[in-house]
Amino acid sequence: MNKKIKTPEVDGLFEAVLKLENIDECYAFFEDLCTINEILSLSQRFLVAKMLKEKNTYADIAEKTGASTATISRVNHALNYGNDGYELILERLKEEP
C-alpha cells in the first residue's frame, strides 16, 4: 500500500464507497465525485486489466478500448508489481454466479 495516499481523508472516501449498495448508487456517487472523463478513464483502465489477464495483446487492447500503449503499460505494471488490487477484484468477479 502506498503510504502517500494512506490518510484519514482517503480512508473516509473508501469507507463511503463501501457503503454503496448497488450500481445506481455508484452512478449517483461517482457522477457527483468525479468528472465524466475521470469515470471513463477508470473504467477503461479496469477493462484493460481484464483484457491483460485474458492475455490479449497490447495492439488488440488499444484497438478495442482506445487506451494508449502508455495506459496499457501502466496497468500491466500494476498487475505485475502493484498491490494486487486488480487481482483481488478480478478473482472475486470470476467467483460470482
Side-chain angles (χ1 to χ4, degrees):
M1 179 182 327
N2 186 333
K3 293 178 183 169
K4 291 180 182 179
I5 67 166
K6 180 76 172 125
T7 66
E9 295 81 11
V10 174
D11 285 352
L13 171 63
F14 292 160
E15 289 291 334
V17 169
L18 292 171
K19 299 293 183 190
L20 298 169
E21 295 181 5
N22 57 51
I23 288 182
D24 288 336
E25 289 184 2
C26 288
Y27 272 101
F29 182 68
F30 279 92
E31 284 183 46
D32 284 351
L33 181 67
C34 303
T35 66
I36 300 297
N37 285 339
E38 289 168 335
I39 295 168
L40 294 174
S41 291
L42 291 171
S43 66
Q44 181 187 63
R45 284 185 219 144
F46 188 61
L47 178 55
V48 167
K50 287 168 63 175
M51 293 180 75
L52 284 167
K53 289 299 292 177
E54 294 167 355
K55 306 294 185 202
N56 287 273
T57 66
Y58 274 36
D60 286 341
I61 295 169
E63 181 182 329
K64 291 176 184 166
T65 67
S68 69
T69 55
T71 295
I72 299 166
S73 180
R74 180 177 178 269
V75 172
N76 193 46
H77 187 271
L79 282 168
N80 291 316
Y81 305 105
N83 294 309
D84 295 327
Y86 282 125
E87 296 283 345
L88 175 73
I89 292 301
L90 291 172
E91 282 301 313
R92 286 185 183 169
L93 287 171
K94 281 188 350 188
E95 294 169 2
E96 288 184 355

